[in-house]
Amino acid sequence: MVSNSAVYSNLGIEEKDLLKKSRHCFMNEDEKSKRNGEIFIVYFFNNCSSEGVLFKTIKEITVDLNMSHAALTKVLKTLEDKQFIYRRNGIIGLHQEL
């Protein structure tokens, strides 16, 4: 595990800007989805590698966050549709073009 500052410096973006961009992804969603999105983003930033990649299964994340599979899937789909994250081969990563 690395500190958040390493993640942000590798991505070339500040934490406040990442949080602002992630919140923007949920601006047209209901309050529960916005809250779930924020919970996931904070979790992601605290658990991702220095390259902005999270190596956890959906099941692990749902247990860690005490969030339903459906709610997490909706959050991930929203972030993926807005090209904030990508999902490939069991990993979740931040798009480098942020």
Side-chain angles (χ1 to χ4, degrees), residues 33-51:
S33 294
K34 288 178 185 178
R35 184 172 35 86
N36 287 339
E38 182 132 354
I39 289 168
F40 172 76
I41 289 298
V42 169
Y43 174 83
F44 181 91
F45 291 151
N46 288 325
N47 291 281
C48 69
S49 72
S50 61
E51 289 80 30

Side-chain angles (χ1 to χ4, degrees), residues 37-98:
E38 182 132 354
I39 289 168
F40 172 76
I41 289 298
V42 169
Y43 174 83
F44 181 91
F45 291 151
N46 288 325
N47 291 281
C48 69
S49 72
S50 61
E51 289 80 30
V53 177
L54 183 62
F55 297 98
K56 290 204 175 220
T57 65
I58 299 297
K59 185 174 183 176
E60 289 172 313
I61 298 169
T62 58
V63 169
D64 289 349
L65 296 178
N66 193 26
M67 187 182 292
S68 72
H69 184 274
L72 179 60
T73 300
K74 184 175 181 181
V75 166
L76 295 176
K77 175 111 175 77
T78 299
L79 291 169
E80 200 170 16
D81 288 348
K82 301 289 185 177
Q83 296 186 343
F84 189 82
I85 63 165
Y86 62 89
R87 294 191 285 171
R88 287 190 197 100
N89 301 324
I91 65 167
I92 300 169
L94 286 175
H95 273 285
Q96 297 300 313
E97 306 82 44
L98 290 174

